[in-house]
Amino acid sequence: MTYLLIAVIVGLALAPLSHFLPSRQQRKQANLRETAALQGMFVEFRNLPQLAKTQAKPDSRVIYYGFRLKASRSKAPRKGAWQRDEQGQWRPLGQRLAVPEALMQMPAEVLAASVDEGSCGIYWREAGEQSTVIQIREKLGAWAEQLQT
């Protein structure tokens, strides 16, 4: 009886600590982000690029995976954004820019993409697996190389 009472007391004392353990989803996200970092990408929270500032509230579940770009020496600044519509087709946001070939080959989980002077990357909800991250890395790497030549 004494041992049972001690076990219950220890269990009650340790129960609040279980809130600090990562959930399955958190472990998956950490694994995807680690895979991206090991593949040379950086990960940050960014809002989806939008055509108008008056659109709905930003989706906090969207993550940006990108590659850093060297500063361009050309006079034309690198800037553009594309978003995938409901049919899965890529559409430019803002300016009428051609859709980069690398985007056409992106996994279906990718929601949008953008390029600016500092980086090129994609926006997604981390709905894939490690193989998806590696596929994204291959396509983003090719796009980054194309932008820097």
Side-chain angles (χ1 to χ4, degrees), residues 15-148:
L17 295 177
S18 67
H19 294 287
F20 295 106
L21 295 175
S23 67
R24 181 180 304 144
Q25 180 65 24
Q26 290 169 330
R27 285 192 303 270
K28 180 183 174 187
Q29 286 176 341
N31 193 11
L32 291 175
R33 293 173 189 174
E34 180 183 17
T35 301
L38 291 173
Q39 295 291 321
M41 293 184 285
F42 69 95
V43 178
E44 58 185 38
F45 293 97
R46 287 193 186 180
N47 295 332
L48 270 172
Q50 296 177 343
L51 186 56
K53 299 282 185 193
T54 59
Q55 288 183 352
K57 291 192 304 188
D59 189 346
S60 61
R61 297 171 294 157
V62 175
I63 300 292
Y64 179 83
Y65 281 39
F67 272 106
R68 303 260 185 233
L69 299 175
K70 296 176 186 171
S72 70
R73 297 183 186 263
S74 69
K75 294 180 181 179
R78 291 185 290 226
K79 188 168 175 99
W82 299 266
Q83 197 163 19
R84 195 174 258 162
D85 62 17
E86 295 82 26
Q87 291 81 28
Q89 300 298 315
W90 287 97
R91 303 280 181 235
L93 296 174
Q95 304 173 9
R96 284 288 176 203
L97 301 171
V99 178
E101 184 64 33
L103 296 185
M104 303 298 254
Q105 303 166 1
M106 284 288 176
E109 294 88 357
V110 175
L111 304 172
S114 67
V115 62
D116 56 38
E117 279 302 312
S119 68
C120 68
I122 57 95
Y123 300 80
W124 71 318
R125 291 191 176 97
E126 296 177 314
E129 302 295 327
Q130 281 184 338
S131 60
T132 309
V133 174
I134 292 170
Q135 186 179 2
I136 289 170
R137 188 260 176 255
E138 290 172 3
K139 306 308 178 209
L140 269 183
W143 189 23
E145 277 185 36
Q146 180 186 8
L147 289 168
Q148 293 187 42

